[in-house]
Amino acid sequence: MLLLLFQALFSKSVSAVNNGLAQTPQMGWNNWNSLGCDVSQDLLLDTSRVLLSSGLKDVGYNYVVLDDCWSDGRDNDGYLRPDATKFPRGMKWVADKLHDMGFLFGMYSSAGELTCARYEGSLDHEEKDAEIWAAWDVDYLKYDNCYHMGRFGYPEISFNRYNNMAKALNATGRPILYSLCSWGEDYVHTWGMSIANSWRVSGDIYDHFNRPDALCACDDPRDPHCVAPGTHCSVMNIINKVAPYVDRGQFGGWNDLDMLEVGQGGMDDEEYKAHFSMWAALKSPLLIGADIRRLSSKTLTILNNPAVIAVNQDPLGRSVAQIYRDQHVKKDKYGQGETQIWSGPLWRHDQLVIFLNAADEDLEMTTTLNDVFIHEGPEGSAPQTRDEFDVYDLWADRMEHHTAEQVLAGNHQYKNSWYNSTQTPYKEGLAKADPRLLGKRVGSVGPKHNVLRANVPRHGVRMFRLRNLTGGSPRYAMTKDEL
Ligand code: GAL
């Protein structure tokens, strides 16, 4: 009796948004972008071994997430059943193996009659499905939006459909990270944080930097009324979609810009760096989407940059916001081209500045402290414009090609040089000013010399951490008494 009471109390204390998970955006790997339905237990285990041996787990990628196409309908008792060819030892066995290696295990379903690839969905089966995932020791659910039987069209109806699963997950008593995949529909950015740890903001990403595609149906990516988010959304399309509501992300709940395309082959090195930097700075979950069983050294040295990941995992949990956008720049053959500047606060009064050059040529880009701190006060009235900062380039210390080759060849002598966030969480590393989290000092800015300038390659970024040397001026979130 006492035990039952304890269990009841315990299960009450866990709720989806307040489940203690995703205090910083989740990181990991998901098979969909590279492998689609080609899933198996061997794929998950082989991938996990690469995450371990390449150091990617140590920098933070700890969720191994299995996407669509794993099931084989339901058993006679109505419980989901894994495909015995793809998962001959069952899902609990997979979970145990992943846990033994130090990973967390993610699975997938849809808030619909079927999943998007037409496997069994969870609509109206929420309790049984949550129960079986908890019994398998699953740690993460990606919850899709296909075949919703018309139960969408305004926020409350979608909210209720997704909330049914939130309640079912809570009732299991097992903390399960809840990742909504409703593609930005029904204003999910206004309610996702009430029930979930992350929510997709767009149709599916594809492996292009800015090429428009009819399948990513919303012509104007900023149109909040777009109801057909589709697929084939470019990196720039998704960035422009999330721009108006970057502030929705918060501890325990994040705008999800979709899985990373880094390493898939459709973009060049600068474009992948830009994609990764923006996802990190916009506080999106960072889920590697490439098939890393064939990991190249170039891909590794983008994904494992601890100075950029430290921005994503920053203890303040605030996204960058757009402070400048210019569309009168050189356009490419698709008619696309723009430049943007983004900035936002980092822990302990540091500030992030990103020059994003989506024009069709290399450019010099410039900003001033007045503009960087525009959200703290207009036209130079922000107190931060009187602070002194050292400027650190967050890509300058990218791992050398040769080192990455050695790591991939299994040369263990490098194990001690890469950042290990399990031993030293990012907050601790930042408090100690670990140089691997800061990049390279390239200059300074302050009241007397307040211009920040950089050459930015075509379709590339320059990403700077401004380290506050003054101890930090108070932010606008001050109480009235402090003003
Ligand atoms: C889409 C989803 C993708 C992937 C796919 C699986 O709806 O956005 O990320 O999960 O379904 O069928």
Side-chain angles (χ1 to χ4, degrees):
M1 185 63 193
L2 210 61
L3 183 70
L4 283 178
L5 188 68
F6 179 76
Q7 279 174 343
L9 283 174
F10 177 68
S11 66
K12 270 222 166 94
S13 69
V14 181
S15 76
V17 68
N18 193 19
N19 55 13
L21 302 173
Q23 290 306 296
T24 56
Q26 67 265 28
M27 296 177 65
W29 174 87
N30 172 305
N31 64 273
W32 181 257
N33 284 359
S34 51
L35 291 145
C37 280
D38 189 9
V39 293
S40 67
Q41 68 185 32
D42 288 348
L43 168 69
L44 300 186
L45 300 185
D46 291 347
T47 300
S48 303
R49 286 185 201 104
V50 178
L51 289 169
L52 275 177
S53 63
S54 62
L56 287 169
K57 170 160 187 303
D58 285 344
V59 292
Y61 299 94
N62 64 345
Y63 281 101
V64 174
V65 183
L66 168 63
D67 211 282
D68 205 346
C69 314
W70 59 265
S71 92
D72 180 27
R74 295 181 182 276
D75 65 19
N76 291 338
D77 298 321
Y79 288 106
L80 283 169
R81 189 172 48 196
D83 180 320
T85 319
K86 296 170 180 170
F87 297 93
R89 316 280 299 254
M91 290 308 180
K92 173 81 171 85
W93 183 86
V94 173
D96 288 347
K97 284 278 176 200
L98 293 177
H99 292 155
D100 286 349
M101 285 193 263
F103 290 101
L104 294 161
F105 180 32
M107 288 194 67
Y108 163 101
S109 190
S110 181
E113 189 186 23
L114 299 172
T115 71
C116 297
R118 301 184 64 82
Y119 290 74
E120 186 73 25
S122 293
L123 189 64
D124 300 329
H125 297 276
E126 289 85 358
E127 274 153 34
K128 281 213 158 161
D129 292 0
E131 203 187 308
I132 197 75
W133 294 321
W136 292 338
D137 285 344
V138 168
D139 306 293
Y140 182 124
L141 175 68
K142 170 175 173 179
Y143 203 38
D144 215 332
N145 197 28
C146 283
Y147 301 100
H148 49 45
M149 311 287 285
R151 291 196 228 167
F152 96 115
Y154 59 93
E156 194 183 2
I157 196 168
S158 282
F159 172 85
N160 288 339
R161 186 161 46 93
Y162 280 94
N163 193 29
N164 285 342
M165 183 56 84
K167 287 193 276 193
L169 292 175
N170 292 342
T172 68
R174 182 176 176 82
I176 297 180
L177 193 151
Y178 188 32
S179 152
L180 307 188
C181 180
S182 59
W183 321 310
E185 279 185 3
D186 286 345
Y187 299 88
V188 64
H189 59 277
T190 65
W191 52 265
M193 66 293 287
S194 316
I195 54 169
N197 298 109
S198 62
W199 49 92
R200 280 269 300 279
V201 299
S202 71
D204 289 11
I205 191 170
Y206 83 153
D207 194 14
H208 284 280
F209 186 68
N210 63 354
R211 191 171 81 190
D213 190 297
L215 292 180
C216 184
C218 303
D219 277 345
D220 175 2
R222 288 181 187 241
D223 176 5
H225 302 290
C226 171
V227 289
T231 59
H232 287 199
C233 298
S234 70
V235 163
M236 286 306 298
N237 178 286
I238 295 174
I239 291 172
N240 284 329
K241 266 181 189 141
V242 79
Y245 47 86
V246 291
D247 65 333
R248 300 295 87 184
Q250 51 188 275
F251 300 117
W254 309 100
N255 286 312
D256 178 355
L257 277 58
D258 207 354
M259 283 96 63
L260 296 163
E261 293 286 3
V262 178
Q264 293 265 69
M267 292 185 243
D268 67 27
D269 194 58
E270 292 301 340
E271 292 172 331
Y272 279 140
K273 272 167 63 188
H275 166 31
F276 188 65
S277 302
M278 291 305 298
W279 262 231
L282 289 159
K283 301 289 189 280
S284 171
L286 297 178
L287 276 290
I288 299 170
D291 180 0
I292 56 166
R293 294 170 304 176
R294 283 174 282 276
L295 182 61
S296 75
S297 55
K298 259 197 176 166
T299 301
L300 177 62
T301 60
I302 293 177
L303 296 172
N304 75 358
N305 183 341
V308 173
I309 298 172
V311 165
N312 183 254
Q313 300 292 303
D314 185 80
L316 197 61
R318 289 270 302 275
S319 167
V320 283
Q322 200 176 78
I323 57 170
Y324 175 85
R325 185 181 193 203
D326 183 2
Q327 293 177 287
H328 300 102
V329 295
K330 188 167 176 215
K331 309 275 181 195
D332 62 16
K333 60 181 176 192
Y334 311 116
Q336 302 291 305
E338 58 180 297
T339 57
Q340 301 181 356
I341 303 177
W342 294 77
S343 188
L346 296 170
W347 193 49
R348 294 204 166 161
H349 308 286
D350 286 2
Q351 186 80 7
L352 187 71
V353 177
I354 298 185
F355 293 129
L356 170 61
N357 176 9
D360 197 26
E361 60 183 343
D362 298 349
L363 285 175
E364 185 181 81
M365 292 178 69
T366 306
T367 190
T368 63
L369 285 188
N370 292 6
D371 288 340
V372 163
F373 291 107
I374 188 91
H375 298 118
E376 310 283 336
E379 294 172 10
S381 62
Q384 289 79 7
T385 59
R386 293 183 285 284
D387 290 351
E388 295 281 350
F389 299 89
D390 272 345
V391 179
Y392 284 76
D393 183 336
L394 298 186
W395 280 104
D397 280 347
R398 177 177 176 181
M399 183 185 270
E400 300 282 343
H401 173 71
H402 168 77
T403 314
E405 290 284 308
Q406 294 295 313
V407 169
L408 290 175
N411 186 338
H412 293 298
Q413 104 190 48
Y414 293 97
K415 236 193 142 148
N416 295 329
S417 61
W418 69 56
Y419 194 76
N420 188 332
S421 64
T422 311
Q423 273 164 17
T424 316
Y426 283 99
K427 185 172 182 177
E428 214 180 289
L430 287 167
K432 288 194 218 152
D434 187 311
R436 291 168 295 186
L437 304 188
L438 300 180
K440 187 174 172 194
R441 186 179 173 277
V442 290
S444 60
V445 281
K448 293 211 186 78
H449 42 97
N450 78 355
V451 177
L452 192 63
R453 198 187 304 277
N455 293 318
V456 193
R458 171 190 177 272
H459 292 188
V461 288
R462 298 295 300 278
M463 188 179 194
F464 299 107
R465 174 186 283 267
L466 274 47
R467 287 213 75 209
N468 196 309
L469 303 173
T470 327
S473 297
R475 300 278 176 188
Y476 66 82
M478 294 178 295
T479 65
K480 272 216 170 97
D481 292 340
E482 286 173 307
L483 283 169

